[in-house]
Amino acid sequence: MRPGQGQKLFRNLRLLDPEQDGLSEGIEILVEGTRIREVSDRPVAASGADVIDCGGRTLMPGLIDSHVHVVLNEVFLPRLETQPLTLMTAHAMAEMKAMLGRGFTTVRDTGGADWGLRQGVEDGLIEGPRLFVAGRAIGPTGGHSDGRRRTDSAIRCACCDALAFTLCLADGADEVRKAVREEMRQGCDHIKIMMSGGVASPYDPLDSLQFSMGEVRAAVAEAEAFGRYVCAHAYSPEAILRAAEGGVRCIEHGNLINEEAAAAMAAKGMFMVANLVAYFTMKDRAAEFGMDAGMLEKNDVVIEGGLRSLEICKAAGVPVAFGSDLLGQLRGAQSREFTIRREVLPAIDIIRSATTIGARLLKKEGELGCIAPGALADMILVDGDPLADISLLAGQGEHIPLILQNGHLVRNRLQ
């Protein structure tokens, strides 16, 4: 991630501050190096700065996608068994560049990406979003992290292929503890565990309960000992309640949540990351890429509860971050999540999910997801008002002529 140099002064803009309900006029913003130095409703004096005339467009924080898989480049995950780690990495680099081009300056990977990809971005070797990584997603034998065929008896080494690289099996509290410690040793930002069945895994029912309370508590204790936290793949109310009792900080998916589970999450100060676009897009296209009828049947179940889960969480006061969770050839639909959520939520709530709430989840309040003095200079410029038309954030960045990441102009189509 290349750092910005010198000063940049942004003028003639409308500011979309997610902390406010509307746009602000007459604002000037001074960026110095990698950070925002000044946000003022008066002219800013900066004689040596490069002046950027925004042409009355909307300037807002860079977007945060809190649930991606940059290395999972196949919809039907078993195909990753035939892929070497080198090709996996090449695919990841291409997708990360595309994500940045859609305005996502930060993403949280929830299974697969490691510290090497994160460092590649930080060193400027890879053009892509700032990465927060979970490393290998940890689950029990036969669960959502078990990618083996029924004819496989052994567990392959993580260096064997792309599928083995992204998943980890652990059974019993001691194995879970060791697996979490290994991911911490590898420099992960958070730990991902599996607590219910999943759509993309072939053998586990959606309502299956994965990881016992002892295993969950072991994972949480080890993550917290390193100053990190645990997020849990969970759909059903039973799995969500178990996660809340065990000290998990964030639920991934949560489509089948009910009022009781949402109340438990709110009482514990938990987050949820919804990713409805994954299910709608899989229903439309996943069969052509190898997803079988059993997986698609599970997908239909979680679609039914998806939009209602947003309403339940809002009523309970559970903060819901923006996520996409798309696999392989479907990842280009990432920004469709904005328009899907608009069916039940106002635009400002959706934008907050992809800015301020994402920053809180990452424990980066005041640094990411905001435009304020001292914050990292991650900003995007939008043609029009996303509060009036959220679809301006959809697509492949067609309505985003300028992207600033870490103070560096990644894109500038104004001239």
Side-chain angles (χ1 to χ4, degrees):
M1 181 165 25
R2 287 178 286 180
Q5 296 180 343
Q7 292 184 330
K8 299 177 182 67
L9 180 59
F10 293 84
R11 286 177 169 163
N12 189 17
L13 59 92
R14 295 183 295 173
L15 178 63
L16 198 168
D17 178 354
E19 299 289 352
Q20 307 299 322
D21 292 330
L23 303 182
S24 300
E25 305 274 357
I27 304 295
E28 294 193 0
I29 298 169
L30 180 64
V31 170
E32 185 172 80
T34 63
R35 294 188 178 266
I36 297 171
R37 177 173 174 177
E38 190 173 351
V39 179
S40 177
D41 59 2
R42 298 180 179 181
V44 173
S47 58
D50 293 330
V51 177
I52 298 175
D53 186 331
C54 298
R57 298 174 178 84
T58 302
L59 191 70
M60 62 179 290
L63 302 171
I64 302 170
D65 190 331
S66 294
H67 190 124
V68 304
H69 297 285
V70 300
V71 302
L72 300 183
N73 58 74
E74 287 286 351
V75 174
F76 187 57
L77 293 180
R79 290 180 178 171
L80 293 173
E81 289 180 308
T82 65
Q83 194 172 114
L85 304 189
T86 46
L87 183 56
M88 175 196 77
T89 304
H91 277 290
M93 292 172 66
E95 180 53 32
M96 290 162 67
K97 183 176 181 178
M99 288 179 173
L100 183 58
R102 298 178 197 121
F104 291 95
T105 52
T106 298
V107 298
R108 171 176 171 265
D109 192 285
T110 53
D114 70 342
W115 68 272
L117 283 172
R118 183 183 62 198
Q119 193 67 44
V121 173
E122 291 178 4
D123 291 348
L125 302 173
I126 300 173
E127 186 176 347
R130 181 180 290 102
L131 265 178
F132 290 81
V133 302
R136 302 169 74 197
I138 305 170
T141 295
H144 191 50
S145 271
D146 195 341
R148 295 174 299 165
R149 296 161 295 191
R150 282 182 167 149
T151 51
D152 294 334
S153 57
I155 298 174
R156 297 182 304 281
C157 171
C159 65
C160 290
D161 58 61
L163 185 62
F165 182 84
T166 61
L167 303 172
C168 174
L169 297 183
D171 295 299
D174 288 343
E175 283 192 13
V176 169
R177 196 179 301 277
K178 183 175 181 179
V180 172
R181 287 175 176 173
E182 177 60 24
E183 296 310 317
M184 293 295 94
R185 188 181 79 85
Q186 292 295 328
C188 291
D189 300 296
H190 48 274
I191 289 294
K192 166 82 169 289
I193 63 173
M194 305 304 189
M195 294 196 63
S196 78
V199 172
S201 44
Y203 308 126
D204 51 341
L206 280 175
D207 58 358
S208 62
L209 288 174
Q210 300 177 16
F211 274 153
S212 67
M213 187 58 67
E215 292 168 321
V216 175
R217 286 180 172 149
V220 169
E222 291 304 321
E224 291 182 348
F226 272 76
R228 304 293 189 265
Y229 68 92
V230 171
C231 63
H233 164 105
Y235 286 109
S236 67
E238 295 79 10
I240 294 169
L241 287 168
R242 180 177 290 186
E245 185 179 350
V248 167
R249 183 166 179 260
C250 182
I251 296 297
E252 311 298 319
H253 315 302
N255 295 48
L256 306 180
I257 194 170
N258 61 15
E259 287 79 3
E260 179 189 5
M265 289 182 66
K268 293 289 184 76
M270 296 171 67
F271 292 81
M272 190 169 92
V273 181
N275 29 63
L276 308 186
V277 64
Y279 312 106
F280 285 93
T281 309
M282 283 193 290
K283 183 176 181 63
D284 293 341
R285 299 185 59 206
E288 67 183 278
F289 298 111
M291 194 166 277
D292 64 33
M295 295 175 179
L296 292 173
E297 184 178 343
K298 291 192 285 185
N299 190 62
D300 286 341
V301 173
V302 296
I303 280 180
E304 291 181 11
L307 290 171
R308 177 156 171 73
S309 73
L310 300 180
E311 297 174 311
I312 291 172
C313 285
K314 183 173 183 177
V318 176
V320 179
F322 180 104
S324 56
D325 190 32
L326 291 158
L327 303 177
Q329 300 88 339
L330 307 182
R331 289 181 293 188
Q334 181 180 24
S335 299
R336 185 186 171 196
E337 181 78 12
F338 288 108
T339 55
I340 292 173
R341 292 192 185 198
R342 189 65 183 89
E343 295 183 30
V344 295
L345 294 175
I348 187 61
D349 283 2
I350 305 167
I351 289 169
R352 286 169 180 156
S353 75
T355 53
T356 53
I357 294 175
R360 286 168 53 199
L361 174 57
L362 296 170
K363 301 183 180 181
K364 293 293 181 180
E365 305 98 315
E367 281 205 280
L368 298 174
C370 63
I371 296 179
L376 287 165
D378 286 9
M379 302 187 295
I380 62 174
L381 193 66
V382 184
D383 289 325
D385 179 5
L387 296 178
D389 182 5
I390 197 74
S391 69
L392 294 171
L393 299 178
Q396 304 304 311
E398 296 90 345
H399 302 290
I400 304 175
L402 184 145
I403 300 171
L404 191 76
Q405 183 194 43
N406 213 38
H408 172 71
L409 277 169
V410 175
R411 172 189 294 166
N412 185 2
R413 296 175 179 166
L414 297 181
Q415 298 178 346

